[in-house]
Structures are given as structure tokens and as C-alpha cells.
Amino acid sequence: MSDNFFQNATLRSILLGAYRSYARTQFWRTGPRIFVNSIPKAGTHLVAAILEEIPGVMLSRVHLDAWDIDANGLRNRPLREFAVDTKKFTRALSTIRGGQVVTGHLPWRREVVDILHANSFKVFFVQRREEDIVNSRFHYIKGLRRHFLHDRFMNEYSTDHDRRQALVDGIPWRDGNPGTDPLPEYSGQYEGWKTAEDVGQIHFEDLVDGGVLQDALGVAQRTHDQAGIELG
């Protein structure tokens, strides 16, 4: 994928909008609708790409973060302030056809999972080691100029060591500029996903250890089976 697409928000919006419009026209599709959630940079896109290898499964290219469905219209605030807008969330889910995959970075709210199941979604959560999440976030924010934290990340911290540490210690909200919570509070907002009995669990490390994508699909399928979730 070109750097221009990666960095240019307008171009990205146009191309993704065109794909999503196409995906919404697939009324004939059958099969389960699938929602893959994780803390940011934990592997949702990898899992979605693996799921797409299953016959009959298609990516919707719809991705939801907390602020897309926040009841108070907030944006880039501490995750503890997130409250799901049921109507907005249900409306977003209604555009997804059978056999299509949605990704998300939604913090744990029991209501979110209940809405997903009420709308006949199979739900999965992707777990990853915290130190790897921090490292991936570091590279993502540093490399993506349109990221809401990029300017503060690059201007307020002089070394990469300091920037990584800022993701652990937190970047305070200041003078109207967005920040991020300290890691324990940030990751703690997703803890409930890991213990929910009606959510299938996928571990990022299982998918990448050994580097064999073929085996990754088998691991994902075994995870589905263990969770009692049929994809067919």
C-alpha cells in the first residue's frame, strides 16, 4: 500500500468509502457476521486477513473505535469516558452483510457485546503481549503524520526511548490537546473482553510464532471451535 494512501486522510477516506459501498451491495451473501475487537495494535487486521481466507468470508473494511459510537459525541478522550450510543452502534452494524468481517477497538462494555449478539454477530477478541503493543503503537504513531498524537509525540519527546516510555507513563491531556492514559489504565479498559464467556479468544502470538500463515488459519479455526463458534 502506498505511503500516500497511508498518510493522506482524504484519499484514504475516498477509497475506503468506495469499497464499503461495494461491500454493502452484497445482499446475497450468507453466513455469520463477524466482529473482531482488540486494544489498538494488537492484531485485528492480521486476524481479519486470516478470516478472509475462509471461503465465504469477506472484509467489510468497516472499523469502529470508541469515538465512532460514543453517546456524547466525544473524540480522543480518556477511554473511561466512553459510553456506547446504542442506536448509532446498531445502525453501523446494520450495514454489514452475511459473511463479512468488522474490526474494532472498543473498550469493554457489557452492553457492546450484548448488542453484537442481539444483531447475530460472532464476536472475537485478540490478545497480545503488552510490551509488543507498546512497541507497535510507538512505530505507528511515529510513522503516521495524521495520527492525533503524532505532533506531540515528536515535538514534546526528544528520543525514541522517551516516546516509548510516554506510552507507558501516559501523555496528559493539556490545553485542549489530546493525550493517552498510562498503560495500566489504558489496557485495563479492555480487560473484560478477555474473560467474557461469549467472546472467542485469539492470541496474536499463536498466529505469528513460526511465521507460518497456513498454521495461523488452523490456530484461528481451533480457537473458534474451542469457543463453540462455528464459522461455516
Side-chain angles (χ1 to χ4, degrees):
M1 189 170 292
S2 71
D3 184 65
N4 191 39
F5 176 83
F6 187 65
Q7 298 289 353
N8 190 309
T10 301
L11 177 60
R12 184 175 183 275
S13 178
I14 291 170
L15 294 178
L16 286 179
Y19 182 94
R20 289 168 182 166
S21 295
Y22 166 73
R24 285 195 296 271
T25 67
Q26 306 293 296
F27 293 100
W28 54 270
R29 299 187 67 88
T30 60
R33 299 189 293 173
I34 303 165
F35 193 91
V36 180
N37 194 63
S38 79
I39 190 170
K41 311 316 296 176
T44 50
H45 295 299
L46 173 62
V47 172
I50 292 170
L51 289 172
E52 192 179 30
E53 295 301 311
I54 298 174
V57 175
M58 172 188 181
L59 301 186
S60 69
R61 299 292 181 188
V62 172
H63 177 84
L64 298 173
D65 70 23
W67 314 118
D68 294 322
I69 58 170
D70 182 69
N72 299 308
L74 300 177
R75 194 89 202 161
N76 299 326
R77 295 294 303 156
L79 288 175
R80 62 182 177 275
E81 298 181 15
F82 165 65
V84 61
D85 183 320
T86 301
K87 290 183 179 178
K88 191 181 294 184
F89 190 28
T90 302
R91 187 162 58 247
L93 297 177
S94 71
T95 66
I96 310 304
R97 307 307 173 201
Q100 292 185 348
V101 180
V102 186
T103 58
H105 294 323
L106 303 182
W108 170 255
R109 301 291 185 272
R110 180 68 247 181
E111 186 180 8
V112 167
V113 178
D114 290 343
I115 292 170
L116 286 164
H117 286 307
N119 285 274
S120 302
F121 275 81
K122 306 301 183 184
V123 187
F124 299 94
F125 184 73
V126 187
Q127 300 189 39
R128 189 179 186 184
R129 287 188 292 260
E130 280 195 348
E131 59 268 31
D132 294 332
I133 290 174
V134 169
N135 194 47
S136 186
R137 280 187 84 198
F138 159 76
H139 287 291
Y140 185 68
I141 296 170
K142 183 179 178 180
L144 185 61
R145 293 188 298 272
R146 59 183 169 81
H147 192 281
F148 70 93
L149 284 175
H150 176 82
D151 288 344
R152 293 192 65 190
F153 207 56
M154 300 307 295
N155 296 329
E156 296 182 22
Y157 302 93
S158 58
T159 69
D160 285 347
H161 175 272
D162 291 342
R163 293 176 185 118
R164 279 192 176 87
Q165 192 60 42
L167 296 177
V168 176
D169 296 338
I171 301 174
W173 280 259
R174 186 172 62 238
D175 301 326
N177 294 312
T180 186
D181 284 321
L183 183 61
E185 185 173 346
Y186 178 75
S187 61
Q189 286 291 320
Y190 294 85
E191 281 299 309
W193 286 96
K194 298 178 182 179
T195 56
E197 294 182 357
D198 51 354
V199 174
Q201 302 296 318
I202 299 176
H203 292 263
F204 181 87
E205 290 75 23
D206 290 341
L207 302 181
V208 298
D209 284 350
V212 182
L213 193 61
Q214 245 178 315
D215 292 345
L217 180 56
V219 169
Q221 185 65 63
R222 289 195 298 277
T223 303
H224 304 154
D225 293 343
Q226 290 166 6
I229 297 174
E230 296 275 338
L231 283 179

